[in-house]
Structure formats: C-alpha cells, structure tokens
Amino acid sequence: MTHFNKFSSRSFGFSILILALSLTVFVSCKKSKYPGYKATETGLYYQLHSSDSKAKKALMGDVITIEVVYKTQGDSVLFDSKTMPNPFVKELKDGAYKGSLEEGILMLGIGDSASFILNADSFFIHTGRKGLPPFIKPGEILKCDVKLVKAQGMEAFKAEQMAKM
C-alpha cells in the first residue's frame, strides 16, 4: 500500500505540473482582439511600425507635429493630415478618455510610427461632437495611423514661431 501512495502522490504532482504548464501556454497564446495589435492596461490597441528606443519621446505639454490618418472600421479615410497645406501641430495634453490617442503618442519617439485602434464612441463624444456621424455605428472602432515628426517644449515652439515671423 505504501508503494501505491508514493506513486499516486508523484502522479498527482506531475498532473498538477502539466495542468499549470498547459494553462500558462493557453493564457500566453491567447489571441488579441485585433490580430497583430497589443493592448495597454487602459485598452488602447497599438501596433508599432517603426520604433527607435533612443529617439526623444514626446512629453505631456510638448507641442507635437504628427502625420495622422483616421479611418473607419471598414478602412474609409476620414482624415489625412498629409492633404492639409500645413503640418498637423497640437499641444499634447491628457487624453479625455482611457485608451485615447494621446496615450499612444506618449509611447512614440520622434520618427516612430504606429497604428492605434480607438473606440469611435469615445473619440467622437470627447472631441467636441455631439455624437457619432451617421455612417459610424455604436460600438465601432476607428483606425489611426500616426507618425511623430517633431516634439518640442512650449517655449521652444514659441521661439520657433517668433523666428518664422
């Protein structure tokens, strides 16, 4: 009987080990809701295209110049900054909602590019619009491609603007 108990104990321990390893593999292989994208803790999905870990990162309060393209879930282009006569420049402030584009931009260094998936409902509500456009259904997403071209402090930006005048 003693021999059987030792065998059962070892078999049980081995079974627990196999189960733990299987669960680890299952959890680590879980597919993203959006294939090819990773998610932040706040639910922002991102895919880095080019990333230089040594590049200067944008900081909250910086004035940034970005190239940005917003697309619908079906890939129709809503906005493309490259079609504008002047570069797209804005002050980088806290995002108005969790998983905002601002969170994604803070991940980028100058010259880096990435794609982000944004919640269309949150985006349109928090960008000053009263609701979704008629061609976007509740619960849909926006795809956003961004390249960080420049990031500078407010004082440097103002000095640059004065020099241009």
Side-chain angles (χ1 to χ4, degrees):
M1 200 68 155
T2 306
H3 178 69
F4 179 73
N5 284 342
K6 285 182 183 177
F7 180 74
S8 291
S9 176
R10 286 184 188 161
S11 293
F12 180 74
F14 184 72
S15 297
I16 293 296
L17 178 63
I18 294 297
L19 179 62
L21 287 172
S22 298
L23 284 173
T24 302
V25 169
F26 175 74
V27 169
S28 65
C29 291
K30 182 181 174 191
K31 291 187 177 185
S32 168
K33 184 176 180 180
Y34 304 102
Y37 286 78
K38 295 179 183 177
T40 66
E41 289 181 13
T42 62
L44 175 66
Y45 287 86
Y46 67 96
Q47 182 181 65
L48 297 175
H49 301 298
S50 64
S51 179
D52 180 358
S53 61
K54 296 176 186 167
K56 178 185 180 268
K57 302 279 186 199
L59 302 173
M60 200 58 67
D62 278 355
V63 177
I64 59 169
T65 303
I66 58 175
E67 292 174 359
V68 60
V69 178
Y70 288 100
K71 300 177 202 167
T72 65
Q73 188 166 312
D75 283 334
S76 295
V77 175
L78 295 173
F79 175 81
D80 184 346
S81 67
K82 290 178 258 174
T83 64
M84 296 173 49
N86 297 311
F88 190 83
V89 178
K90 70 177 257 168
E91 182 180 0
L92 186 57
K93 296 182 179 181
D94 280 332
Y97 60 96
K98 289 184 180 190
S100 69
L101 180 59
E102 290 81 1
E103 177 186 347
I105 291 171
L106 288 170
M107 298 164 67
L108 303 177
I110 295 172
D112 292 352
S113 63
S115 292
F116 301 97
I117 294 179
L118 307 173
N119 178 292
D121 299 310
S122 297
F123 176 83
F124 282 106
I125 289 168
H126 293 288
T127 55
R129 294 180 175 82
K130 295 185 185 200
L132 291 171
F135 54 88
I136 295 181
K137 295 180 178 101
E140 286 191 347
I141 61 164
L142 292 179
K143 297 175 184 176
C144 185
D145 299 324
V146 177
K147 179 177 182 180
L148 180 61
V149 176
K150 190 175 190 178
Q152 59 191 125
M154 184 59 78
E155 293 304 316
F157 173 75
K158 287 179 181 178
E160 185 181 275
Q161 294 303 305
M162 290 298 288
K164 286 181 181 178
M165 293 198 283

